[in-house]
Amino acid sequence: MSDLHIEQAHDRDREEVREIVRGLTGQLRDNYSIQSNWTDDDTVSFSRSGVSGTLKIDNERVVVDMKLGLMARAFKGRIKSELSRQMANHLG
């Protein structure tokens, strides 16, 4: 079970969404040291100390499920807000 679940609808083709996600994962790496790995064409796993999860792409939405460590839980609202904002800006 995830601590954080976010869904963002989109109306783009999957390859365009993959490119957007590649850019977002690069920003997460550069800004927050979050490492990511594509496990298949439509799934990215990501982690850093205190945070891990997956991002999945389908034809209509992008879904993020994230587990937060004890320290990261204190920032759950802020993490959800920022991630939701970024996803809406890039995919909405």
Side-chain angles (χ1 to χ4, degrees):
M1 184 167 171
S2 66
D3 296 314
L4 196 63
H5 178 85
I6 301 170
E7 295 186 23
Q8 174 63 51
H10 69 81
D11 60 357
R12 302 165 192 253
D13 69 51
R14 282 172 107 132
E15 189 53 42
E16 184 179 359
V17 174
R18 287 182 195 113
E19 286 301 315
I20 292 168
V21 169
R22 284 183 190 103
L24 290 172
T25 57
Q27 288 177 356
L28 290 172
R29 180 193 63 237
D30 295 345
N31 296 338
Y32 303 105
S33 300
I34 295 176
Q35 300 302 309
S36 62
N37 180 48
W38 287 84
T39 57
D40 63 39
D41 286 343
D42 294 320
T43 306
V44 177
S45 64
F46 57 87
S47 65
R48 69 160 278 166
S49 179
V51 176
S52 65
T54 59
L55 180 149
K56 295 183 180 185
I57 300 167
D58 69 26
N59 289 331
E60 299 171 352
R61 64 194 174 140
V62 173
V63 177
V64 175
D65 285 300
M66 188 181 298
K67 298 235 4 124
L68 302 173
L70 186 60
M71 298 297 282
R73 282 188 200 138
F75 300 98
K76 180 179 178 177
R78 189 177 194 186
I79 293 167
K80 183 174 185 173
S81 175
E82 180 63 18
L83 190 53
S84 295
R85 186 180 69 77
Q86 288 292 336
M87 289 173 63
N89 284 346
H90 290 87
L91 297 167

